[in-house]
Amino acid sequence: MSRFLSFLVVLVLLIVGILFAAPSFIPVESYKPQITALVKEQTGRDLTINGDISLSFLPRLAVSVNDVTFQNASWAASRHMVKMEQLEIVLKIFPLMRGEVALDRFIMRRPEIDLAVNRQGVGNWVFDVPAQSAPAPAAETAPAGEDGGFTPQVTDIQLGEISLIDGSVKYSNLATGEAYDASDINLDVSLPSLDAPLGLDGSVVWNGDTVELSLDVAEPRAFSVGDASDLSLNINAPKVTAGFAGNGRMSPVLTINGPTSLSIPSVRDLAAWAGQPMAEGDGFGALDLNGTVAVVGDTYSFTGATLAFDGMNGTGDLTVDAGRSRPKLTGALVLDKLDANVYLAGVGESSPSDGQAAPSSGGGSGGSAAASGWSDAPIDLSGLKAIDADLDLTVGEILFQDLTIGKSALDVLINGGKLTAKLTELALYEGAGIGQLTLDGSGNTPSVGANFNLSGLSAYPFLRDAAGFERLEGLGSFNVNVTTRGKSQKAMMSALNGSGALTFADGAIRGINIAQLSRNVFAAATSGWESGGAQSTDFSELGGTFTITNGVLTNNDLKMLSPLVRIAGRGTVSMPPQTLNYRIEPKLAATLEGQGGLAMSKGLRCRL
C-alpha cells in the first residue's frame, strides 16, 4: 500500500513538473500563422501579432499576447480597426473542472478601437467574407451522466482583476458627418461570483472632459436572466452629474426604477459637448431634476419630479421618449414662472429710447419719423427643433417681452420646431382672458402668431408694458389676432398682419385736457400733447377697431364719449418707420347731458 501511495505521489509530482515545464517545450510562436489564418478565414481581414506570445499552465492557465493589430475595412480612413499593446488572460484551472469560469486576471493595455460607418450605412465591424454552406445539424448530446458522457456547463463566473488601461475609442459616420472621440479610458471590474455584487469603476475623457462613473449590481445572476436586482449608478463630469439608486432587470428590455438626480450647469454647453450644438442664443442654462425614474427601453419617466431650469422652478410628472428621431417630452408641470424672453433673444431689443416714436413737432395730419428704429439683431428659433413636447402647464407668472401675465394654464405643444401655447386660463393686469401664442422655428425664417381675447384689464400698466404707452387709464377689453415672420425684430414689424378691437371704459387720457384745448382751437394747433402736466381728460367710453397690413395699422372708427367732449378719429400708424398719420375731430358739447355718441350731442366741432 505504501508503495502504491509513493507511486501516486511521484506520478502527481511528475504531472505537475510536466505542466510547469511544458510551456518551455511548446513552440507557441509557431502557432501565429495558424491563428492569423483562422482570423482571416472568419473575417476576411488580417490579424497581425508583432509581439511575443507567452503560455503557462500552473499555477494558473495564463496567456499573454503583445502588440496586436486588426485590419480595418478597406474604405475606412484608419488602417487598423483595433490596436492593442498587450492582452493578458489568466484562468484558474481547478474551478474549470467544476464548470466554473474563474478569471483571475484579464487586462487590456492601451487598446485603440476605431469604429466607422460608411456612406451606405455599413459599419466597419461588418465583415465581408464569402458565404459558407450551413454545417450539418449536430447530433443531440445527452445530458451529463445520462450515458456516461461529459457535457461541461458553466455554473458560475468569478472575475478577479479585470482592467482596461489607457484605452481609446473613435467613432465616425461618413453618412451623417458625426464624429466622437473618447480617450484615457480606464475601467476596473469586480465580480467574485454571479451571486455576489458586481462593481465597476472607471473614467473616460470625452471631448476634453473627464467623466467618472461607478456601477454596482447587487445580484448579477438575477439581473442578467430578467429578475430584479438592486442597482446604483453615479456619473460625475463637468457638464453633467447624475445619480441613481433603485432596481432593474436586463431582459427582455432594460428596465430600471428608483429615485434619481440630475444636475446640468448648462444644457446648451452639454448639447455642444455631446456633439449636438444648439443655435446661439440665450436660455437652456442650468437644469436640476430630482424624482423617481422609470426606464423601459428608450422611454424614461419621471414621477414626483422637482425641476429647476433657467430660473424657473416646478413640480410634476414627465416622460421622455428617446427612441424617436427627436426626443419627445410629455407630462404635466406646475411652474412658478415661465420666462419666454430667455428664448427670444433679439425680440425685445430696441434702441435706448425703448422704441417709442418721437413726439410730433407740430400739428396737422403728419407725424415726424421716429428717432429710433427696430432692432436688426437676428432672431433664431431653430432651437425648438431639438425636441418635441406635449405638456400641460400651470404657471404662476409668464414673462413675454415687457408683459407680465399672472396665473395661467397652458397646453404647450412642440412639433418639428413649431411651438403652440394655448392659454386656457389667463390672469392679466387685473383682467382675465384666453389666447394662443405660436412660435415657428421649423423653417429658415421664424414666424410668430398671437390670438388673444381679454377683458377687465387695467389699461395703464398693460399698455405701458405692452406698447410703452403711458397716456391711458381705464378698464379695457382687447382682442387681437396677428401674425408675422422675419429674421429680426425690424423684419417682423414690417411683415405684421392682423386685426383687432379695443374698448376702454371709465378712464382718462393723461397729460391733456381736450375740453380746454377745444375752447382755444388756435392754441391746440401749436401746443398739442405738450400741454401735459397733471391735466387729464375723463371719458366713459373709448374704443375702435383696427386692421394691420404689412406693419401699417389702420383705424377708421375711433370714438371717445366724455362729458363736454366727443371725439372721432381715423388714420394710420406705420410701425416699420414708427410714424403716425392720424386725424382727430373733437367736438365740444353744449350740455353735460347725454353720452350716447357724436350724433346725439350738440356743440362745436373742430379738427386736429
Side-chain angles (χ1 to χ4, degrees):
M1 183 68 177
S2 60
R3 290 183 178 180
F4 179 71
L5 292 177
S6 299
F7 173 75
L8 287 179
V9 171
V10 172
L11 181 61
V12 170
L13 291 176
L14 180 61
I15 293 173
V16 171
I18 292 173
L19 290 175
F20 270 110
S24 60
F25 297 105
I26 298 176
V28 179
E29 294 292 326
S30 65
Y31 286 96
K32 284 184 181 180
Q34 287 90 330
I35 296 173
T36 56
L38 179 63
V39 172
K40 179 78 170 182
E41 178 184 349
Q42 296 297 320
T43 67
R45 300 186 198 170
D46 293 330
L47 174 73
T48 303
I49 303 174
N50 297 310
D52 299 332
I53 300 177
S54 62
L55 174 68
S56 64
F57 291 108
L58 288 177
R60 294 170 176 83
L61 178 62
V63 178
S64 177
V65 183
N66 297 284
D67 194 3
V68 180
T69 61
F70 180 63
Q71 185 182 11
N72 213 336
S74 59
W75 47 264
S78 176
R79 180 180 177 184
H80 299 117
M81 179 178 172
V82 178
K83 293 176 62 177
M84 192 182 311
E85 184 177 286
Q86 184 185 59
L87 173 63
E88 182 181 356
I89 303 174
V90 180
L91 288 171
K92 297 179 181 179
I93 291 180
F94 294 110
L96 286 174
M97 300 177 183
R98 301 192 301 266
E100 300 175 1
V101 176
L103 191 61
D104 188 60
R105 189 160 63 248
F106 182 94
I107 300 176
M108 298 175 65
R109 290 185 173 88
R110 297 185 182 277
E112 299 177 14
I113 302 172
D114 180 54
L115 302 177
V117 177
N118 64 18
R119 299 186 185 280
Q120 289 71 42
V122 179
N124 63 343
W125 53 88
V126 178
F127 304 121
D128 185 16
V129 293
Q132 300 179 1
S133 58
E140 293 186 3
T141 304
E146 195 171 276
D147 59 357
F150 177 73
T151 303
Q153 295 182 354
V154 176
T155 60
D156 197 8
I157 296 177
Q158 300 174 22
L159 302 183
E161 180 186 358
I162 309 298
S163 299
L164 189 156
I165 301 173
D166 199 16
S168 64
V169 176
K170 293 182 179 180
Y171 172 82
S172 60
N173 190 317
L174 299 179
T176 64
E178 295 175 293
Y180 305 105
D181 187 352
S183 62
D184 298 323
I185 303 173
N186 292 279
L187 294 176
D188 294 306
V189 180
S190 172
L191 180 63
S193 75
L194 286 177
D195 298 309
L198 163 68
L200 182 150
D201 293 280
S203 63
V204 57
V205 174
W206 177 274
N207 287 342
D209 285 349
T210 299
V211 182
E212 297 177 348
L213 58 92
S214 64
L215 170 67
D216 293 290
V217 182
E219 301 176 70
R221 187 192 302 274
F223 181 74
S224 63
V225 299
D227 294 329
S229 170
D230 289 341
L231 306 173
S232 67
L233 172 67
N234 291 282
I235 299 174
N236 193 347
K239 301 293 192 300
V240 58
T241 301
F244 169 82
N247 60 76
R249 54 173 53 90
M250 179 69 76
S251 61
V253 295
L254 179 62
T255 303
I256 294 175
N257 187 280
T260 189
S261 62
L262 176 69
S263 179
I264 301 173
S266 170
V267 173
R268 186 177 296 277
D269 291 346
L270 177 64
W273 177 68
Q276 300 292 332
M278 303 173 66
E280 292 185 5
D282 296 328
F284 297 97
L287 168 65
D288 287 291
L289 181 65
N290 295 274
T292 299
V293 65
V295 178
V296 180
D298 292 324
T299 302
Y300 304 81
S301 299
F302 293 89
T303 56
T306 60
L307 170 73
F309 182 48
D310 281 343
M312 298 172 280
N313 299 283
T315 60
D317 300 325
L318 297 171
T319 298
V320 178
D321 184 356
R324 299 160 46 98
S325 57
R326 286 186 307 273
K328 183 173 183 179
L329 177 65
T330 59
L333 279 177
V334 178
L335 298 176
D336 61 343
K337 68 176 180 180
L338 177 60
D339 190 352
N341 294 325
V342 173
Y343 311 102
L344 295 175
V347 172
E349 298 178 1
S350 61
S351 65
S353 63
D354 294 331
Q356 296 184 30
S360 173
S361 60
S365 61
S368 66
S372 64
W374 303 104
S375 172
D376 284 317
I379 296 173
D380 189 350
L381 302 181
S382 61
L384 294 172
K385 292 188 286 188
I387 192 170
D388 291 343
D390 188 354
L391 298 171
D392 292 331
L393 300 179
T394 300
V395 185
E397 181 182 63
I398 302 174
L399 304 178
F400 180 73
Q401 297 192 32
D402 292 327
L403 284 173
T404 301
I405 303 171
K407 183 179 180 181
S408 304
L410 302 89
D411 294 331
V412 178
L413 181 67
I414 304 176
N415 187 14
K418 181 178 181 179
L419 181 150
T420 302
K422 296 181 180 180
L423 292 94
T424 57
E425 176 187 353
L426 181 64
L428 183 65
Y429 296 89
E430 302 179 20
I434 59 175
Q436 178 172 303
L437 175 67
T438 302
L439 305 177
D440 192 347
S442 61
N444 294 327
T445 302
S447 65
V448 178
N451 187 350
F452 291 94
N453 288 279
L454 313 167
S455 61
L457 278 68
S458 180
Y460 176 74
F462 173 67
L463 292 176
R464 177 197 59 202
D465 293 347
F469 186 74
E470 299 182 356
R471 298 286 187 177
L472 196 62
E473 297 178 354
L475 293 177
S477 295
F478 175 68
N479 68 77
V480 62
N481 188 355
V482 294
T483 61
T484 188
R485 57 188 291 110
K487 296 184 177 181
S488 67
Q489 185 187 54
K490 182 177 181 180
M492 284 194 170
M493 295 310 298
S494 298
L496 190 65
N497 293 282
S499 61
L502 295 169
T503 301
F504 298 96
D506 301 324
I509 299 176
R510 287 181 157 200
I512 188 170
N513 189 325
I514 297 178
Q516 180 180 337
L517 291 177
S518 297
R519 297 188 187 99
N520 189 340
V521 176
F522 297 103
T526 58
S527 60
W529 292 101
E530 295 178 356
S531 60
Q535 300 183 73
S536 63
T537 300
D538 295 335
F539 61 82
S540 61
E541 182 183 343
L542 171 63
T545 61
F546 63 87
T547 60
I548 304 175
T549 304
N550 295 329
V552 178
L553 183 149
T554 301
N555 162 253
N556 293 315
D557 61 355
L558 176 70
K559 69 176 179 179
M560 187 185 82
L561 306 181
S562 172
L564 298 178
V565 177
R566 311 288 186 268
I567 293 179
R570 59 187 299 140
T572 61
V573 179
S574 183
M575 286 180 277
Q578 298 180 345
T579 59
L580 176 69
N581 184 357
Y582 205 84
R583 180 181 296 275
I584 296 177
E585 297 182 351
K587 182 176 183 181
L588 186 62
T591 175
L592 292 175
E593 296 180 359
Q595 296 184 35
L598 293 174
M600 297 175 59
S601 61
K602 298 179 180 179
L604 178 65
R605 175 180 297 179
C606 61
R607 292 183 177 179
L608 298 177

